[in-house]
Amino acid sequence: MQWLLGERAVRLDPAARTVTLAGGRHVRTDGVVIATGAAARSLPGTDGLAGVHTLRTLDDALALRAELLDGQPRVVVIGAGFIGAEVASTAQGLGLDVTVVEALPVPLERQLGKEMGRVVSSLHGDHGVRLLCGTGVAELLGESRVTGVRLADGRILPADVVVAGVGVRPHTDWLAGSGVTVDDGVVCDSGCSTGLRGVVAVGDVARCPHPFTGRHARIEHWSNATEQAKTAARTLLTGVSAPAPATPPYFWSDQYRARIQVAGHVAPGAEPEIVEGDVDSRTFTAVYRREGTPVAVLSVNQPKYFNRLRRTLVGAAAVVS
């Protein structure tokens, strides 16, 4: 094995079986694994404005940490997804003044549904963090350094540090002209094959049909990348593209000393039922059922109960049939 560190791929030529690097070198190959990941989306017009951060890499984390520990900055987090919520939780734990801005009326609705989205996002208010929903950001204020955030409704939030948690953009520009189909990521089949011989994709850049959810989507969590790696390696080595077992997707988030765990797929029509604990104590487990079948489970601070119930979940194909 040869590592080429500090190099960047700029072109893939499947016919010639080569990958071209930024320095002009051509690397010949029998197989290619596209694992270029994704980049954090930034806010328009913020280039060069100090105090504005995204969080994707170790360098991003170190730069943000340095500013959060510098005095008592007022922090505004844009986006109440899991990245934004975790940043807000960390900043609140440092004793900082924190506001979270979310364009959607209900944070985490896509992942958890409206009812549980409201419950989980209420952790912000429990810990003194302001959560403003249903409004977007018009612009950031400041000359060389950010001083505030103007919302779409005209309100102005004073800010010394702004963190944008507004999603990611898959790294696919280098694949232009390669024949690899790109549409919000590298389009693959359920075996991670791109349809080109000897070319597979994994991780945040790969958009594959998931055998459990039935959805053709990118799943942005390292546990999914780990499972996809096994599938992609098998496809690459055997030349036969076969789906992985239909295990439920799984992810978790630590916020305000609460462990939030989710498995399965909260599809439209899936209704949550509290089966253990209660939402008022912020210690509970909910099972989502669709047509009476358990398809997802959400747990807050009940890991043992969660691990038992996640094994009972049924995938989309079984529910339809």
Side-chain angles (χ1 to χ4, degrees):
M1 177 184 291
Q2 182 182 14
W3 289 86
L4 300 178
L5 302 178
E7 296 279 4
R8 182 168 57 90
V10 297
R11 185 170 182 267
L12 171 65
D13 187 339
R17 316 298 295 172
T18 60
V19 174
T20 304
L21 305 182
R25 178 179 176 182
H26 300 286
V27 180
R28 295 195 58 81
T29 177
D30 296 314
V32 175
V33 180
I34 301 171
T36 44
R41 293 187 183 276
S42 58
L43 297 172
T46 60
D47 289 346
L49 189 61
V52 180
H53 297 263
T54 56
L55 184 57
R56 186 72 181 176
T57 68
L58 176 59
D59 286 343
D60 293 339
L62 293 174
L64 176 58
R65 179 189 180 192
E67 293 217 327
L68 294 179
L69 294 176
D70 185 12
Q72 289 286 310
R74 297 162 298 181
V75 180
V76 174
V77 179
I78 301 172
F82 287 112
I83 290 293
E86 290 173 12
V87 170
S89 170
T90 299
Q92 183 273 340
L94 294 172
L96 302 181
D97 179 271
V98 186
T99 301
V100 179
V101 179
E102 171 58 54
L104 296 175
V106 180
L108 302 172
E109 179 179 351
R110 182 172 62 88
Q111 296 89 347
L112 305 179
K114 285 186 178 181
E115 182 180 347
M116 291 296 108
R118 289 191 183 97
V119 170
V120 171
S121 61
S122 67
L123 287 168
H124 295 298
D126 292 348
H127 293 83
V129 171
R130 291 181 297 277
L131 175 62
L132 306 179
C133 296
T135 184
V137 172
E139 63 176 336
L140 300 192
L141 306 177
E143 296 295 332
S144 60
R145 182 177 183 87
V146 68
T147 59
V149 178
R150 189 191 306 277
L151 302 181
D153 60 15
R155 284 178 289 176
I156 294 178
L157 307 176
D160 304 300
V161 174
V162 172
V163 183
V166 292
V168 300
R169 180 179 62 82
H171 280 301
T172 56
D173 292 347
W174 71 286
L175 295 169
S178 66
V180 172
T181 301
V182 173
D183 180 10
D184 185 33
V186 174
V187 178
C188 303
D189 65 13
S190 56
C192 297
S193 172
T194 65
L196 301 180
R197 184 173 63 89
V199 182
V200 297
V202 296
D204 289 0
V205 76
R207 190 161 77 87
C208 307
H210 194 282
F212 184 93
T213 69
R215 297 171 61 237
H216 205 132
R218 292 185 302 106
I219 298 178
E220 299 168 10
H221 198 280
W222 71 265
S223 60
N224 178 68
T226 300
E227 293 302 318
Q228 277 188 338
K230 302 173 188 176
T231 302
R234 183 174 62 245
T235 296
L236 198 61
L237 294 174
T238 65
V240 178
S241 184
T247 55
Y250 164 60
F251 61 91
W252 74 91
S253 179
D254 292 324
Q255 302 172 27
Y256 305 106
R257 296 173 296 281
R259 169 59 61 94
I260 302 163
Q261 295 172 282
V262 184
H265 175 49
V266 182
E271 296 294 332
E273 177 190 358
I274 304 299
V275 295
E276 180 70 17
D278 63 89
V279 297
D280 291 338
S281 69
R282 306 299 189 247
T283 300
F284 67 90
T285 298
V287 172
Y288 295 79
R289 291 186 175 86
R290 185 180 179 197
E291 299 178 7
T293 302
V295 295
V297 58
L298 161 68
S299 181
V300 177
N301 290 327
Q302 290 191 327
K304 291 183 179 179
Y305 207 69
F306 171 84
N307 288 329
R308 176 156 59 89
L309 287 176
R310 66 188 285 199
R311 293 190 286 267
T312 70
L313 302 180
V314 177
V319 174
V320 172
S321 61

